[in-house]
Amino acid sequence: MASVTIYDVARRAGVSIKTVSRVMNSEPNVRPATREQVSAAAAALGYSPNLSARSLAGSKSYVITILLDASLTLDHWRSERGADYLTRIQLGATQSCRASGYHLLLELIDHDIPHIRQEVNDLLAALRPDGVILTPPSSDNEIVLDLLRKSRTPFVRLGPERALPGGLRLRLDDRGAAAQMTKALIDLGHSRIAFVMGDQRYGSSLARRDGYLAAMADNGLPVDPSWMQPGAYTFLSGFDAARNLLALRDRPTAIFASSDDMALGCLAAAAEAGFAIPGDISVAGFDDSTASRFSRPSLTTVRQPLVELAEMAAKALVNGDVPPDCDSDADLDQIPGFKLVFRQSTAAPNSR
Amino acid sequence: MASVTIYDVARRAGVSIKTVSRVMNSEPNVRPATREQVSAAAAALGYSPNLSARSLAGSKSYVITILLDASLTLDHWRSERGADYLTRIQLGATQSCRASGYHLLLELIDHDIPHIRQEVNDLLAALRPDGVILTPPSSDNEIVLDLLRKSRTPFVRLGPERALPGGLRLRLDDRGAAAQMTKALIDLGHSRIAFVMGDQRYGSSLARRDGYLAAMADNGLPVDPSWMQPGAYTFLSGFDAARNLLALRDRPTAIFASSDDMALGCLAAAAEAGFAIPGDISVAGFDDSTASRFSRPSLTTVRQPLVELAEMAAKALVNGDVPPDCDSDADLDQIPGFKLVFRQSTAAPNSR
DNA sequence: CTGAAAGCGCTTACAG
DNA sequence: CTGAAAGCGCTTACAG
């Protein structure tokens, strides 16, 4: 089956290739009747424009690339816990691309200094994507951003830590979500609510803490310094934090761990120390990870609109809403739509 | 930053573009010294060949496409249980592609009759992938296979149900894995082992059943017809099957459910009926799903080498080991490497 | 509203 | 071992 080209369609429709091109790209200045003929000819021949030719001749490649940190992604993929968030981001971006005839290319890049510059450079040179979606930690990588800016490739930074110039910044409302979860615990009747912080290197960590503190303050509840436990977004750090909290003379009635992994650690620590959950103490997490749905007890947590986030990112790129010199206002880009998911790990205090 | 082309490199190295092309493609007939100069010039300029130009001029596109059923994939992605197997397939294929400078394009296609022909046709015409990886149910879709054969695109069918002509067939050893799990239960001391079958429309379902039956026969153990429960790979079907089994006068001491979802259903049914697991009855699953790791009790199950499967598929395509008229022998393509994962849901009989 | 010409950046087939 | 020419299948810029 020799492939059918624009010439075949033009011949069959009795027009020039330029007219076929106009029809295929929905450009104006074609008589309706002519448009009909061309469409019919294309359909009859099963014609679909060659992407490479289009990309080479024109200014669009119809490719959106999503950049992921190779080792981080491989770790997540291989890990026993799966990589729900990755899948959700991919799902969202894929949706937007599909709807517009774009193709999503997932690229894993090594963030080692010697490699990254070349890898990203090669990627941009070889693929010439119409847009790039950056995921953490790429979102804040100066080398990557520099290459993107120089090549004038539109890009979106997902969950950026810093207000670096260029690109569109899209961020989840970690602060608001944490505040609302805290408020929910307060509404359940808790007032002695502890907080386990995430890795301080991530902005989300600070935002979630701020949300917690704000909700406590707004409701006139004091926060004992001993309730603020450091953490690192890991199971073990959650385990340690809970052990500290459960040993307090005047222990809290609820723990808000700012990631599910840490919350699962809290569950384990409580079980080990003989505390019933939620009877003796409530535990809430953050992320709505797969594990949170299957833990015992299942975890009350926050579900962020990751699919929507990625969908917005891809859509903005596809629609050309992100000019190469775009520099979005970081205050205007928080995606609403988080949801509190109530499961078994929370209840009113003293409810056993 | 105007993009650097093959002409820029040729000029800088003082050679023709043909020589640069030879060096970039590691072709022979270039003096080592010349090769050096060209490489240096390319490195200095940060040159990377434009994929579109390469693809248009040459016979390779450096693109491998993996075809997934859109609705099935979206369901899995959206589902609460995640889509571990998808992620693992993607991981494997990505690895092989990366290693060879190829790009993996994930395409979701609608399997509705009116859409599929056009979608796949467009895909092949627009992208001209050097190879396509088919996942079930695409692996057995006649329309897809027909299009692939006509366009002479090399393809690999993952987990094919039927021996349709063309392509390379890669299949997991479901029969062997099920036999080995059955043998493991026998070795634990069980002799009254029930089996919950999967959806009969899938070949894996029959293969797993055959493995179970073979292991029982090999060990001289009779199989009571009442132990063979129908199922559909779903939680609910496992739940129903277990309820039937637990109600038997002379109930089995172990249930081998041929998917984790069904095994989780068995767990739930046992809990509801007041049976301890594994004290009263052992339960084994199949898949090593994320849920199997977090269930209570955690599930003994079979982990299939999905990453390796996808890695092999992509590697074969990338290496050109799958000529367009390839028609592999279905008996020679079973990927070894499954692993039995022992967790809390199995023990010796009467061990409570 | 329509089309002829040039060119995108490479590889192919061929000549030397 | 090296290179000049043609052409892959489109879009761009321009003319009519």
Side-chain angles (χ1 to χ4, degrees):
Chain A
M1 191 166 80
S3 52
V4 13
T5 73
I6 197 170
Y7 287 94
D8 301 318
V9 180
R11 198 174 310 124
R12 184 175 181 121
V15 298
S16 74
I17 62 163
K18 176 63 235 194
T19 298
V20 176
S21 175
R22 284 199 180 89
V23 174
M24 297 313 294
N25 292 293
S26 307
E27 285 171 19
N29 297 330
V30 183
R31 264 190 319 181
T34 309
R35 200 179 287 276
E36 273 306 313
Q37 278 173 53
V38 173
S39 296
L45 296 171
Y47 172 69
S48 197
N50 179 318
L51 205 71
S52 295
R54 255 183 145 163
S55 166
L56 186 58
S59 52
K60 292 202 284 185
S61 66
Y62 297 93
V63 165
I64 298 290
T65 297
I66 181 160
L67 250 46
L68 302 167
D69 179 75
S71 59
L72 196 67
T73 304
L74 293 184
D75 281 354
H76 282 297
W77 271 347
R78 284 208 191 93
S79 83
E80 299 293 285
R81 281 177 288 94
D84 212 39
Y85 75 95
L86 258 180
T87 302
R88 280 155 71 187
I89 287 178
Q90 197 177 350
L91 168 58
T94 301
Q95 303 265 60
S96 288
C97 286
R98 244 167 82 81
S100 314
Y102 268 72
H103 299 272
L104 181 72
L105 221 47
L106 203 136
E107 294 287 337
L108 304 181
I109 58 172
D110 279 325
H111 277 69
D112 314 334
I113 297 293
H115 293 132
I116 191 166
R117 167 156 250 122
Q118 199 195 330
E119 281 196 31
V120 176
N121 181 63
D122 284 1
L123 200 91
L124 296 176
L127 259 27
R128 300 180 174 278
D130 291 341
V132 173
I133 299 176
L134 301 177
T135 60
S138 302
S139 305
D140 289 282
N141 188 295
E142 302 265 19
I143 298 176
V144 174
L145 294 175
D146 181 53
L147 252 15
L148 250 13
R149 286 187 287 248
K150 280 198 181 133
S151 63
R152 300 191 59 72
T153 307
F155 61 97
V156 179
R157 298 165 60 203
L158 257 32
E161 299 297 340
R162 291 174 290 159
L164 302 170
L168 181 67
R169 289 192 283 273
L170 251 36
R171 184 196 317 275
L172 295 166
D173 186 9
D174 284 304
R175 189 181 192 282
Q180 198 160 312
M181 176 58 89
T182 306
K183 180 67 165 59
L185 293 170
I186 294 171
D187 288 346
L188 268 177
H190 295 276
S191 56
R192 307 175 56 74
I193 304 171
F195 185 82
V196 186
M197 246 190 96
D199 188 325
Q200 300 214 25
R201 288 173 303 180
Y202 295 102
S204 62
S205 185
L206 305 173
R208 294 173 191 182
R209 179 204 55 191
D210 290 346
Y212 157 78
L213 291 175
M216 293 296 275
D218 285 353
N219 287 274
L221 296 175
V223 173
D224 189 288
S226 64
W227 300 347
M228 296 289 298
Q229 290 286 324
Y233 279 149
T234 63
F235 182 93
L236 203 61
S237 67
F239 187 89
D240 291 341
R243 210 150 51 170
N244 292 341
L245 291 168
L246 293 168
L248 290 178
R249 220 180 319 273
D250 211 17
R251 66 166 200 276
T253 60
I255 302 176
F256 180 13
S258 58
S259 83
D260 282 349
D261 284 346
M262 294 195 297
L264 293 173
C266 294
L267 254 37
E272 196 182 275
F275 289 97
I277 291 177
D280 296 320
I281 188 162
S282 286
V283 172
F286 201 112
D287 289 338
D288 192 31
S289 63
T290 305
S292 75
R293 301 188 278 263
F294 293 100
S295 64
R296 271 299 175 87
S298 57
L299 215 51
T300 290
T301 186
V302 178
R303 182 180 179 89
Q304 289 281 29
L306 278 183
V307 175
E308 292 77 3
L309 173 77
E311 216 169 329
M312 279 188 62
K315 193 175 291 174
L317 255 11
V318 162
N319 291 347
D321 298 339
V322 188
D325 50 359
C326 163
D327 198 5
S328 73
D329 182 333
D331 288 340
L332 298 175
D333 56 9
Q334 292 194 355
I335 314 298
F338 62 79
K339 281 193 193 109
L340 267 38
V341 184
F342 294 98
R343 299 210 183 91
Q344 303 166 336
S345 65
T346 49
N350 310 312
S351 68
R352 70 177 326 181
Chain B
M1 189 167 81
S3 52
V4 13
T5 73
I6 196 170
Y7 287 95
D8 301 318
V9 180
R11 197 174 311 121
R12 186 175 179 120
V15 298
S16 73
I17 62 162
K18 176 64 235 194
T19 298
V20 177
S21 175
R22 284 198 180 90
V23 174
M24 297 313 292
N25 292 295
S26 306
E27 285 170 20
N29 298 329
V30 183
R31 265 190 318 181
T34 309
R35 201 178 286 277
E36 273 306 313
Q37 277 174 53
V38 172
S39 296
L45 295 171
Y47 172 69
S48 197
N50 179 319
L51 206 71
S52 295
R54 255 184 144 164
S55 166
L56 186 58
S59 52
K60 292 202 284 184
S61 67
Y62 296 93
V63 165
I64 298 290
T65 297
I66 182 160
L67 250 47
L68 302 166
D69 178 75
S71 59
L72 197 67
T73 304
L74 294 183
D75 281 355
H76 282 298
W77 271 348
R78 284 208 192 93
S79 82
E80 298 293 285
R81 281 177 287 96
D84 212 38
Y85 75 94
L86 256 179
T87 303
R88 280 155 69 187
I89 286 179
Q90 197 177 352
L91 167 58
T94 302
Q95 303 266 59
S96 287
C97 286
R98 244 167 82 81
S100 313
Y102 268 72
H103 299 274
L104 181 72
L105 221 48
L106 204 137
E107 293 288 336
L108 304 181
I109 58 172
D110 280 325
H111 278 70
D112 315 334
I113 297 292
H115 293 133
I116 190 167
R117 165 156 251 121
Q118 199 195 331
E119 280 195 32
V120 176
N121 180 63
D122 285 1
L123 200 91
L124 295 176
L127 258 26
R128 301 180 175 277
D130 292 340
V132 173
I133 298 176
L134 302 177
T135 60
S138 302
S139 304
D140 289 281
N141 188 294
E142 303 266 19
I143 297 176
V144 174
L145 294 176
D146 181 53
L147 253 13
L148 250 13
R149 285 188 287 248
K150 280 198 180 131
S151 64
R152 300 191 59 71
T153 307
F155 61 96
V156 178
R157 298 164 61 203
L158 258 29
E161 298 298 340
R162 290 174 291 159
L164 301 170
L168 180 67
R169 289 193 283 272
L170 251 35
R171 183 196 316 276
L172 295 166
D173 186 9
D174 283 304
R175 188 179 193 283
Q180 198 160 313
M181 175 58 89
T182 306
K183 180 66 166 58
L185 293 170
I186 294 171
D187 288 346
L188 268 177
H190 296 276
S191 56
R192 308 175 54 75
I193 303 171
F195 185 81
V196 186
M197 247 190 96
D199 189 324
Q200 300 214 25
R201 288 173 303 179
Y202 295 102
S204 62
S205 185
L206 305 172
R208 292 174 192 182
R209 180 204 55 190
D210 290 347
Y212 157 78
L213 290 175
M216 293 296 276
D218 286 353
N219 288 273
L221 296 175
V223 174
D224 189 288
S226 65
W227 299 347
M228 294 290 297
Q229 289 287 324
Y233 279 149
T234 62
F235 181 93
L236 203 60
S237 67
F239 186 89
D240 291 341
R243 210 149 50 172
N244 292 340
L245 291 167
L246 293 168
L248 291 178
R249 221 179 317 275
D250 210 19
R251 67 165 197 277
T253 61
I255 301 176
F256 179 14
S258 57
S259 83
D260 282 347
D261 284 345
M262 295 196 296
L264 293 173
C266 293
L267 254 37
E272 196 182 273
F275 289 97
I277 291 178
D280 296 319
I281 188 161
S282 286
V283 173
F286 200 111
D287 290 337
D288 192 32
S289 63
T290 305
S292 76
R293 301 188 279 263
F294 294 100
S295 64
R296 273 299 176 88
S298 57
L299 216 51
T300 289
T301 187
V302 177
R303 182 180 178 88
Q304 289 281 29
L306 278 183
V307 175
E308 292 76 4
L309 173 77
E311 217 170 327
M312 279 189 62
K315 194 176 291 176
L317 255 11
V318 162
N319 291 348
D321 298 339
V322 189
D325 50 0
C326 163
D327 199 5
S328 74
D329 182 335
D331 288 340
L332 298 174
D333 55 8
Q334 291 194 356
I335 313 299
F338 62 78
K339 281 195 193 106
L340 266 40
V341 184
F342 295 98
R343 298 209 183 90
Q344 303 166 336
S345 65
T346 50
N350 309 311
S351 68
R352 71 175 324 181

